[in-house]
Amino acid sequence: MAELWRQGLNIWLAVVIALVIAALCGAINGPLVTRFGIASLLVTLATQFIFSSVATAWGGGSPPYGFPKSFVDITGTGTIGPIPDQLILFAVIAARRLL
């Protein structure tokens, strides 16, 4: 997503494309586990290594920075009191999964 944005693509379009690519990458794991009978933990670790290596080769070793304020505000880099936004978002998602 960051590399697409760095190359001039709208940040929100880059997010959508990144989510589609991530879903396609995740869809690779299912057949590896169900059709080939490979242990799910092994498939997860192997594909994580492959995908992170590809991402590092494409984007470089340094993390991206300088995202637009509209993106940063929505993705939760602030706090509500002493509690980070990301923790609140995680708690909401976790609570929904439990219900």
Side-chain angles (χ1 to χ4, degrees), residues 1-11 13-18 21 58:
M1 184 250 352
E3 282 301 311
L4 293 173
W5 172 71
R6 282 185 190 175
Q7 295 173 13
L9 198 61
N10 177 284
I11 189 75
L13 181 57
V15 167
V16 170
I17 291 171
I21 291 171
W58 185 32

Side-chain angles (χ1 to χ4, degrees), residues 61-84:
S62 62
Y65 60 90
F67 294 110
K69 184 167 174 31
S70 63
F71 177 76
V72 173
D73 287 346
I74 290 177
T75 57
T77 57
T79 61
I80 297 177
I83 303 170

Side-chain angles (χ1 to χ4, degrees), residues 5-97:
W5 172 71
R6 282 185 190 175
Q7 295 173 13
L9 198 61
N10 177 284
I11 189 75
W12 300 110
L13 181 57
V15 167
V16 170
I17 291 171
L19 289 173
V20 169
I21 291 171
L24 293 173
C25 290
I28 292 172
N29 288 15
L32 290 174
V33 172
T34 57
R35 297 208 187 260
F36 298 108
I38 304 171
S40 60
L41 179 61
L42 182 60
V43 170
T44 301
L45 292 174
T47 56
Q48 184 270 333
F49 176 77
I50 292 167
F51 298 146
S52 64
S53 297
V54 169
T56 301
W58 185 32
S62 62
Y65 60 90
F67 294 110
K69 184 167 174 31
S70 63
F71 177 76
V72 173
D73 287 346
I74 290 177
T75 57
T77 57
T79 61
I80 297 177
I83 303 170
D85 291 344
Q86 298 95 333
L87 183 59
I88 295 169
L89 179 61
F90 172 77
V92 169
I93 293 170
R96 289 191 60 186
R97 297 282 297 173

